[in-house]
Amino acid sequence: MRERAAAERTERLEVEAPSRLFFHPSHSLQIEIHWRLAPGPGREPDFEKLWSRRREHSFGSGPVAYLGPEDQFLYLVHHGARHGWFRLRWLCDIDVLARRGLDWSSCAQLSIRYGTEHLVGQALILASQLLQTPIPKELEGFTRLKRSGAQIPQVLSFMRDSLENAPPERVRMYERYLFAIKPRRQKLLYLLSLLYPYPMDAKTLPLPKTFHFLYFPLRPLLWTWRKLDKTGKPSLVESGESKLL
C-alpha cells in the first residue's frame, strides 16, 4: 500500500512538474529547464510579460536573460512556500531582496493578480521574525492576513526536522500543508484534476485501447479500490498491460 501511494504521488508530481532537470556528468553542470514558474494548475504571468521585464547578464559568449527583480522575488516566495521553507537559505534570499529597492507597489499588484498575497505575507513574517528582515510598507497588509500566519507552525517544524527523506507521516503532513496554501481557485482545479485518469489506473485495471475512455468514469472507483485493497496486489487482474501511456 505504501509503495502504491508513493507511486501515485510520483505520477502526480511528474504531471504537475513545471520543469525538467538535466545533469552533465563530465562537467558536473546542472540545468533546470522551466516551462512554468510553478506547478499547475494555477495562474501566473505569461512568457511575454516575463520576457518584457527580464534582465540580462553577460555570461560566456553572450548575454543571458533572467527574471526581473519583482518577478524573481515573487518566484522565490512561491518556491520557498511550496517547499515549506525547510532550507533556511531560501528565506535568506527573501531577506536579501527585501533590503533592496524593488518596486514594491508592482510586487503587491502582481501578488493580488495571481492570488499569492498570503504566500508573500508568510515569507515576510518568517523572514522578519527569524532574520529581522524589514517589511516593505506596501506589503505590510499581506502579513496581517489570516492565511499568511495559519501555516507558520508547520513551516517551523519543516525547518527543524527537514523534509528530506521524511517518514510517511511527515509526508502526509506536508501534502496537507501544500493543499492549504493553494489559492481557492487552484484548490478547485486541483480537486477536479483528481478525476483525470493516471497511469496507475491502467495498471490497476488494464483495458484495451478502444475502451480507454472508460478510465474517466472509473477513476473514482479505481482510486477507492487501491485505498481499500489490503492484499498488496498492484492490479484488479493478475496480469496484463495497458497502452494508456
Side-chain angles (χ1 to χ4, degrees):
M1 289 291 290
R2 184 176 299 177
E3 292 179 356
R4 191 177 307 163
E8 286 193 327
R9 281 196 296 269
T10 299
E11 288 177 1
R12 182 161 297 280
L13 287 173
E14 288 176 350
V15 170
E16 296 176 350
S19 61
R20 183 74 67 181
L21 196 64
F22 297 91
F23 182 76
H24 195 294
S26 301
H27 300 286
S28 298
L29 182 66
Q30 182 173 290
I31 296 178
E32 188 171 347
I33 306 298
H34 275 254
W35 49 89
R36 287 181 56 92
L37 290 177
R43 293 181 297 169
E44 62 179 31
D46 59 34
F47 176 80
E48 286 72 20
K49 291 180 180 177
L50 292 173
W51 188 254
S52 69
R53 298 192 291 262
R54 74 189 185 280
R55 291 173 289 175
E56 292 186 346
H57 179 74
S58 296
F59 183 81
S61 59
V64 175
Y66 61 108
L67 292 174
E70 290 74 34
D71 291 318
Q72 183 183 37
F73 175 80
L74 294 175
Y75 169 74
L76 292 175
V77 163
H78 199 288
H79 178 269
R82 195 171 74 249
H83 290 284
W85 300 105
F86 77 88
R87 288 180 177 149
L88 189 59
R89 68 170 182 259
W90 294 331
L91 207 57
C92 292
D93 291 336
I94 300 302
D95 176 70
V96 170
L97 290 177
R99 298 176 188 274
R100 295 180 179 174
L102 274 63
D103 184 347
W104 297 116
S105 294
S106 176
C107 280
Q109 292 171 7
L110 289 170
S111 297
I112 294 171
R113 182 179 305 166
Y114 299 109
T116 58
E117 312 99 293
H118 62 297
L119 301 184
V120 173
Q122 180 195 73
L124 292 174
I125 291 172
L126 289 166
S128 65
Q129 292 185 359
L130 298 177
L131 305 173
Q132 288 74 55
T133 303
I135 299 177
K137 60 182 177 58
E138 294 88 347
L139 305 180
E140 286 178 353
F142 295 168
T143 64
R144 293 191 288 269
L145 296 173
K146 184 177 180 180
R147 291 191 69 197
S148 296
Q151 309 302 321
I152 295 294
Q154 290 94 317
V155 170
L156 293 176
S157 74
F158 298 153
M159 287 181 172
R160 183 187 65 239
D161 300 326
S162 183
L163 286 171
E164 293 183 308
N165 302 315
E169 59 271 15
R170 284 190 62 76
V171 172
R172 288 192 291 270
M173 177 182 176
Y174 172 63
E175 289 175 340
R176 290 193 295 270
Y177 160 84
L178 273 183
F179 184 77
I181 66 172
K182 292 179 184 291
R184 291 178 181 84
R185 180 176 179 272
Q186 194 173 358
K187 285 181 178 180
L188 176 60
L189 291 174
Y190 173 80
L191 292 174
L192 290 175
S193 75
L194 295 178
L195 300 176
Y196 197 89
Y198 276 75
M200 181 61 74
D201 297 323
K203 295 178 183 177
T204 304
L205 179 63
L207 292 174
K209 190 172 183 178
T210 309
F211 297 103
H212 279 181
F213 69 93
L214 292 175
Y215 284 118
F216 285 91
L218 288 174
R219 168 74 177 158
L221 175 63
L222 297 175
W223 182 87
T224 303
W225 176 274
R226 288 194 295 271
K227 294 297 181 182
L228 297 178
D229 181 21
K230 305 295 184 182
T231 66
K233 294 180 181 178
S235 172
L236 291 172
V237 296
E238 292 184 0
S239 63
E241 295 181 353
S242 172
K243 298 180 180 179
L244 182 67
L245 300 178

